[in-house]
Amino acid sequence: MKYEYQGSILKRINSPADLKGLSDGELEQLCTEIRSKLIDTVASTGGHLASNLGTVELTVALHKSFDSPADKIIWDVSHQAYTHKLLTGRAERFSTLRTEGGLSGFVRPDESEHDSFYEGHAGTSVSQAAGVAAANAIKGSKNFAVAVIGDGSFCSGMVYEALNHAGSTKNRLIVILNDNEMSISENVGALARYLAIVRAKPEYYRFKAGTEKALNRIPIVGRSLSNHLFKLKTALKNILYSSSFFEDLGFKYIGPIDGHNINQLCEAMDSAKMIAAPVLIHINTLKGRGYDYAEHSPEKFHGISRFDPHTGEPLSVGENYSSFFGKTMCSFAAKDKRICAITAAMTLGTGLEEFSTRYPERFFDVGIAEEHAVTFASGLSAGGMLPVFAVYSTFLQRSADQLIHDGALQRRKLIIAVDRAGFVGEDGETHQGLFDVPLLQSLPNTTVYSPATYEEINSALYSAFYKDSGLIVIRYPRGSEPEEAKGLPVPDEVDLFGDSAADTAIVTYGRLFFNVLRAQEILAERGVNVKIVKLARIKPLPERTFEFLDGCKNVFFFEEGMKGGGVGERLGSELLEKGFKGSYTVTAVDNEFVAHASVGRQLEKYSLSAEGMTAVIEKQVKR
């Protein structure tokens, strides 16, 4: 089957208003066309596929029932908002998804008035929507705030803080819980499903309001009778749905609804608009809907690189830093039963699938709850285990308080494996791994390694398990090590490459080392002799670093991270304290968020490619 958009309806949709007049048959056909468009595009650009295939009907129903952008639709994480982009005037540019200068893989307000927030992390939508609803109430606006959140994000503690607060208001807030994996509310067979559909219809709420009004008019017994009927109805509903949790928080509950039935979805949304209280609509969807490969392997197609749409197979395979880390963890765990692995709903992404299978009793997926993961790891450590929490850099920053209070302060061994450190490419601003180093630089009792090679990951893990104490962080990039890594000597915490007598030095760490090697070759061809000081441990700085730099006239630090609070700034400060008299230049990301593009292009933009480094050095040396 060739997955290619050839339909005619999507071409007619330039804004959500164009959905209002479509027939039921046209809406179904539109969903079919959208799925073909999604598969075609993501196969070419990479991105999040399974989650988007699962929310096609939901998104169509949202834009048919609500009036965006006056009504604010707020997507949790927003990796499932591709259909939203197609329906809000971005269909013609959709082929540019996740490419430099093209559409982002997430919602962003500078891209469309229909995008309310920059969204890339989980558990934020209900708080944001509650704030919008409160602002609407203050202004006397009749518009709605709608939060669309997946069941996975319901692991986030922030969600419950928001529900607890918002449920105490009467604001026009609607939360749509997209349940595509775990069952949150049980139901009892056909009767429950039938009553859920009835309760979702606007006619039900009109009848309910009319009945209550009539009963309240009956002298003496009317209000009492109305209250008793309400209690009876609530008790029956709780038996059928176990939905009292949300209603105890102050939300009216509608559901569960078939998330692939547009009519039922629209009826539920129209009903929710009639209720003078916050509403939670619970829908059931299937991740990967309409594409067999994604339906059978939703985790594989959650975030996927370019693939063959005919076979579902990725176009590039092979070992990478994440998979090597996972394999190495298994090797250590086979010999030491104290070693445990923790993930926050990222088993595949962090390379821990094999570990989870081989050592299930020592593997913990805590869900999207990074704060809990760090503190849980602290507890494991207190119990005599050697815990390793594997997490993407962008998500580690969510646990800043726990790293300080429950990590470094406790003076127990706690290991954090930071995946996707540095530029991540096409995922853009919300996912760049550029902020972990400035965060970690300020923490006492903390050791940070930044390996450039697979062998250095192995070495850093050994040191973390058996040599170091306190909070230990091992950070490594997305992707694979280059071929040049295979010829390197056994790594040390700091190594010198080149002529030790050279008075110009380049200092770096992580994968930038390989760009620095190429820059060294280019400079040598142009008559500029430089030596390289390669850091494997970036906190605390190895004392030999300063020995290697002694007597240098020019020192250049290249860093794939933020300049403010980075290792380059720390080294410069310590050099100054030691009386360094030469020129010192730091090249890093300076006070800005990095837009989506390929990693190669991002390195070029910030003068972190070999050519960019060469230009920076030649300019200073000539001066």
Side-chain angles (χ1 to χ4, degrees), residues 93-132:
R93 297 185 60 214
F94 197 66
S95 62
T96 69
L97 185 73
R98 303 177 80 248
T99 62
E100 185 176 11
L103 296 180
S104 169
F106 301 88
V107 295
R108 42 184 299 161
D110 65 353
E111 193 176 282
S112 171
E113 64 179 345
H114 297 280
D115 296 356
S116 301
F117 296 91
Y118 291 93
E119 297 288 3
H121 288 184
T124 62
S125 62
V126 182
S127 296
Q128 291 164 336
V132 171

Side-chain angles (χ1 to χ4, degrees), residues 513-560:
F513 168 66
F514 298 103
N515 288 357
V516 169
L517 277 178
R518 288 188 281 274
Q520 183 187 47
E521 293 175 0
I522 296 170
L523 288 165
E525 292 171 358
R526 299 177 183 177
V528 180
N529 184 25
V530 301
K531 60 186 176 184
I532 301 170
V533 178
K534 176 189 167 297
L535 298 169
R537 193 186 75 201
I538 59 176
K539 178 181 168 54
L541 288 169
E543 192 59 36
R544 281 198 303 152
T545 306
F546 303 97
E547 297 175 13
F548 292 149
L549 297 178
D550 187 41
C552 285
K553 294 180 180 178
N554 295 290
V555 175
F556 298 88
F557 198 109
F558 293 97
E559 184 163 12
E560 190 180 345

Side-chain angles (χ1 to χ4, degrees), residues 43 291 300-301 303-309 311-318:
Y291 185 51
K300 175 182 174 182
F301 284 87
I304 190 168
S305 57
R306 295 171 63 243
F307 66 96
D308 183 341
T311 65
E313 292 300 318
L315 298 182
S316 60
V317 293

Side-chain angles (χ1 to χ4, degrees), residues 321 449-458 460 473-477 509-511 534-537:
Y321 289 99
Y449 294 95
S450 195
T453 67
Y454 298 160
E455 177 55 37
E456 287 182 36
I457 290 177
N458 180 73
V473 179
I474 304 168
R475 58 189 308 276
Y476 44 89
Y509 62 90
R511 66 176 165 195
K534 176 189 167 297
L535 298 169
R537 193 186 75 201

